Amino acid sequence: MAVSDDRKYTKAFVHALLEGVKGKTLGEVDSSHQFARTEKSEKITGIAGDVIEQSVFGYERDSKQECDIEIDGVLTELKTTGVRIPKSDLPKVEGKVGDAYNVYLGAKEGISITGVTFEPTIQTDFKTSHFWEKSEHLLIVFYEYKSYEAVPASDYADFKIVDYCYNTFSEEERAKLCNDWEIVRDYLQGIYSQYKDVNERNEQLIGFTHKLRPNLLLIELVPAYKKRQKKDNSDKKLADSYQKPRYRLKQTFVDYIVRGHFDKSRANTEISLKESFSSFTQLDARCHAISAKYKGKNFSQLKEELGIEAEISNKNFGSLCVLKMFDAECKRLNQISDFSKAGIIAKTITITPSGGRTEDMKLKHIDFEEWADKDLEFQDSDVYTYFCEHSFLCPIFCERGDMGKRKSNESEANYKKRLVEESQKTTFEGFKRFAFDEDFIENEVRRTWDDSRSLIHQKTLKWEYLYDREGNKRENKSGSYMGSPNFPKSADYKVFFRGGADDSRDEAKTEEVNGIKMLPQFFWLKGTYIVDKLKEIDFL
């Protein structure tokens, strides 16, 4: 692979070039008039990248499966990606500028690398694959996507170029990327070997991207491989064609890269597993080994064997046990970078011997500005990306003692004493892991997405008060009237809305939708769905 002379630069030249555009808007540096195209089209995919490539670096965009440029003799792929402050961090950046502001920036989306090659005989070795050739050395230019909803292409002209970085992957990350790529390669080679007829093979490939997704750590395949129709120029009839996917670094992984660039101190506080994993297969084996060692042991035994100082009555005692099992020196499993890069959410689950009583699971804060965008497609939404990219690793504990509600003849002191004593009988059962399949996303998640957006767009969203038997509005301890907006509820939905704050005062209702004030809203996963899902899955 080689690039033309007009795409060869020195690192000093690139440094001067990009330092010169930092702080300027994409519109201000658009010497090649990319934004003139927005007069005819509101949606132009990749317009920010076009500006950086054609206006800043001065070369024409192409779709070749080779690196964009060469820097001091090193083939390098140039990528332009949006970053922004998560809504939850907006109060923290008020009044801040420069590095103090940038340290809170996170990735808006994943980074597309290259198309998946559908001739496995060509792509057999990771080190010589198009994917690795284009991702081994990345020059990433960051612009701030100053919005929380989808905007027309013309609005990108107002987004400022924030910074840039050279990115190379650690040996550990390279091993994970290699394993992901090989999973895709092996699957495609199997299909090509079994189905020689091209039409039959294409039909077999439909949906394979969703099938492989739960096994991929750092990359995803988008868009889905599916059939589409186009006009045949010869006879004007509709002929079948197929939408083919690209390799894209997961948003969770890109977020890790972004935050590492802007927060130089992260390396001093980052928590990594002492024994990492390069595939879900390796993680599963690690969990299996832990289970073999500790399965069936109760809290009292685990406290002694693992050397846990916290009392068993601590509501997070189970999580503390799991941290010790992984030999992780942090307070929460989700602080471990090995998990956050791959979008793995660790959730400790407590069940009864019959497998019931799992609580609803709080997931993600809802961005209502995105919800208000009538033109946004479900597949392009933040919630779709969230459910596609994340999987759950669930340490399972079983409450074998009497942890029931306070009895009528039981004093408050005796009730608390019983819970402490009985909690010691809780046992560790092992690990289960699951991801959301395409059927769940396309039906349950989409249903919640469609129904809640309809309430907003059709102006039928309303506040529903709770009433007592006499028909009076019920009050909570803070003196506020009890109630909630008529968003999807757990009674009818597996994915539903619920406020995420413990504070029930009117002052805590900081979210406002269609003029209705409410607590910040989150997606929740119904507990009965989790119970049923876990029953279908074997322990690792």
Side-chain angles (χ1 to χ4, degrees):
M1 179 186 292
V3 300
S4 56
D5 289 340
D6 63 324
R7 297 192 183 198
K8 296 180 180 180
Y9 310 95
T10 65
K11 198 165 188 176
F13 177 84
V14 172
H15 175 77
L17 189 68
L18 294 179
E19 286 294 324
V21 298
K22 277 172 58 174
K24 295 182 179 179
T25 66
L26 292 169
E28 289 172 337
V29 303
D30 181 25
S31 59
S32 61
H33 310 294
Q34 298 301 314
F35 286 106
R37 295 185 289 150
T38 64
E39 296 174 6
K40 296 182 179 180
S41 176
E42 290 188 353
K43 187 174 182 179
I44 301 176
T45 302
I47 193 167
D50 292 341
V51 170
I52 297 300
E53 290 178 359
Q54 299 180 50
S55 295
V56 177
F57 278 83
Y59 65 82
E60 290 298 316
R61 182 184 186 184
D62 62 49
S63 58
K64 296 179 181 178
Q65 280 192 312
E66 58 185 37
C67 288
D68 295 318
I69 58 178
E70 184 179 295
I71 302 176
D72 286 345
V74 177
L75 290 170
T76 303
E77 182 72 3
L78 175 63
K79 291 297 179 184
T80 304
T81 193
V83 294
R84 63 182 170 191
I85 305 294
K87 274 191 143 183
S88 59
D89 285 337
L90 286 176
K92 300 176 184 177
V93 301
E94 190 172 348
K96 290 183 171 65
V97 295
D99 291 344
Y101 176 91
N102 292 345
V103 75
Y104 292 96
L105 289 169
K108 173 186 174 287
E109 58 195 358
I111 291 180
S112 177
I113 298 297
T114 191
V116 175
T117 301
F118 284 86
E119 294 298 335
T121 54
I122 298 174
Q123 300 280 277
T124 58
D125 181 64
F126 174 73
K127 291 182 179 179
T128 59
S129 67
H130 294 314
F131 171 79
W132 183 238
E133 288 176 340
K134 295 192 74 169
S135 57
E136 184 177 11
H137 300 283
L138 297 174
L139 171 58
I140 308 174
V141 179
F142 304 112
Y143 66 92
E144 185 175 9
Y145 191 92
K146 200 80 172 180
S147 177
Y148 295 95
E149 60 184 39
V151 300
S154 57
D155 283 11
Y156 279 68
D158 297 325
F159 295 157
K160 288 185 178 181
I161 299 167
V162 181
D163 205 357
Y164 61 96
C165 78
Y166 295 95
N167 183 81
T168 55
F169 298 107
S170 67
E171 191 61 30
E172 176 190 305
E173 291 166 345
R174 189 202 66 79
K176 292 178 179 179
L177 291 169
C178 177
N179 184 78
D180 283 355
W181 181 88
E182 288 179 347
I183 288 174
V184 180
R185 178 202 63 188
D186 293 348
Y187 184 85
L188 292 178
Q189 285 186 329
I191 294 295
Y192 270 69
S193 297
Q194 186 174 356
Y195 301 96
K196 302 301 182 182
D197 179 77
V198 63
N199 293 321
E200 189 176 4
R201 183 166 64 234
N202 284 332
E203 287 298 308
Q204 291 298 319
L205 285 172
I206 292 175
F208 89 93
T209 51
H210 302 302
K211 185 180 296 184
L212 297 187
R213 190 180 65 227
N215 300 320
L216 303 178
L217 280 174
L218 301 183
I219 66 173
E220 59 178 342
L221 304 173
V222 290
Y225 190 99
K226 62 182 180 182
K227 184 185 292 186
R228 59 187 177 187
Q229 291 184 322
K230 66 177 182 179
K231 288 282 185 69
D232 188 308
N233 293 329
S234 61
D235 58 11
K236 305 300 181 182
K237 293 181 179 180
L238 293 177
D240 289 337
S241 66
Y242 294 85
Q243 177 177 270
K244 296 181 179 180
R246 297 176 61 81
Y247 291 107
R248 184 168 72 178
L249 302 181
K250 285 185 179 181
Q251 180 180 344
T252 52
F253 186 32
V254 177
D255 190 69
Y256 174 83
I257 295 172
V258 170
R259 293 182 183 277
H261 172 71
F262 288 109
D263 185 2
K264 305 302 184 186
S265 65
R266 188 186 68 178
N268 300 325
T269 58
E270 184 176 19
I271 304 297
S272 299
L273 292 175
K274 295 178 181 178
E275 183 183 339
S276 188
F277 52 90
S278 60
S279 66
F280 275 116
T281 301
Q282 287 187 4
L283 174 60
D284 292 350
R286 178 88 179 274
C287 291
H288 180 79
I290 291 173
S291 298
K293 186 175 182 179
Y294 296 106
K295 178 178 171 58
K297 294 188 176 181
N298 61 41
F299 273 180
S300 294
Q301 293 169 315
L302 292 172
K303 178 178 173 64
E304 181 177 352
E305 288 193 30
L306 296 170
I308 299 175
E309 296 180 359
E311 295 300 322
I312 292 175
S313 57
N314 187 313
K315 66 178 182 179
N316 295 320
F317 187 81
S319 297
L320 296 176
C321 290
V322 178
L323 285 170
K324 284 288 188 178
M325 293 173 188
F326 275 101
D327 197 18
E329 298 177 356
C330 56
K331 295 181 179 179
R332 293 183 294 107
L333 281 166
N334 292 320
Q335 291 177 312
I336 299 172
S337 61
D338 304 76
F339 291 160
S340 59
K341 287 181 190 179
I344 299 171
I345 298 174
K347 288 282 188 179
T348 301
I349 302 293
T350 303
I351 60 174
T352 62
S354 62
R357 224 201 68 193
T358 296
E359 296 179 347
D360 296 332
M361 186 183 289
K362 180 180 176 182
L363 298 179
K364 178 179 175 58
H365 179 253
I366 296 169
D367 180 1
F368 282 108
E369 289 194 45
E370 181 180 85
W371 246 239
D373 185 354
K374 294 182 179 180
D375 298 324
L376 185 67
E377 297 291 338
F378 175 61
Q379 288 83 358
D380 298 325
S381 69
D382 188 45
V383 64
Y384 179 83
T385 299
Y386 178 87
F387 278 90
C388 282
E389 286 198 355
H390 288 85
S391 61
F392 289 85
L393 178 65
C394 300
I396 311 292
F397 290 86
C398 183
E399 287 184 349
R400 300 189 180 279
D402 182 5
M403 302 294 292
K405 295 180 179 179
R406 181 181 171 185
K407 299 174 174 56
S408 58
N409 61 345
E410 189 175 30
S411 67
E412 180 69 20
N414 286 339
Y415 169 60
K416 291 181 178 180
K417 181 181 179 182
R418 170 168 62 84
L419 291 184
V420 171
E421 292 175 347
E422 294 295 300
S423 65
Q424 298 181 45
K425 301 176 183 178
T426 299
T427 57
F428 173 65
E429 299 300 309
F431 294 90
K432 293 190 177 186
R433 181 172 63 82
F434 73 91
F436 299 104
D437 58 39
E438 188 64 13
D439 181 70
F440 182 84
I441 295 173
E442 285 295 335
N443 290 288
E444 299 300 334
V445 180
R446 181 188 282 272
R447 177 174 168 243
T448 301
W449 158 268
D450 287 338
D451 291 356
S452 55
R453 277 164 52 91
S454 293
L455 291 172
I456 296 172
H457 297 158
Q458 297 176 15
K459 307 298 182 183
T460 53
L461 182 68
K462 61 183 179 180
W463 186 267
E464 295 180 330
Y465 289 101
L466 295 181
Y467 296 88
D468 59 24
R469 293 179 179 178
E470 285 72 38
N472 301 311
K473 293 180 182 178
R474 293 174 57 186
E475 291 187 36
N476 53 37
K477 294 180 180 179
S478 68
S480 300
Y481 291 118
M482 300 173 68
S484 62
N486 62 328
F487 281 126
K489 300 286 196 302
S490 62
D492 303 305
Y493 294 80
K494 293 178 181 177
V495 178
F496 61 94
F497 284 41
R498 184 187 292 167
D502 294 329
D503 191 344
S504 59
R505 296 175 303 155
D506 288 337
E507 291 82 354
K509 297 175 181 177
T510 56
E511 194 81 68
E512 185 171 336
V513 184
N514 288 13
I516 301 173
K517 291 186 176 182
M518 62 191 75
L519 296 173
Q521 297 291 299
F522 286 76
F523 280 115
W524 290 70
L525 197 60
K526 193 169 183 176
T528 52
Y529 164 78
I530 301 170
V531 169
D532 293 340
K533 185 73 174 178
L534 292 176
K535 285 180 179 178
E536 298 173 356
I537 302 171
D538 293 331
F539 281 100
L540 298 176

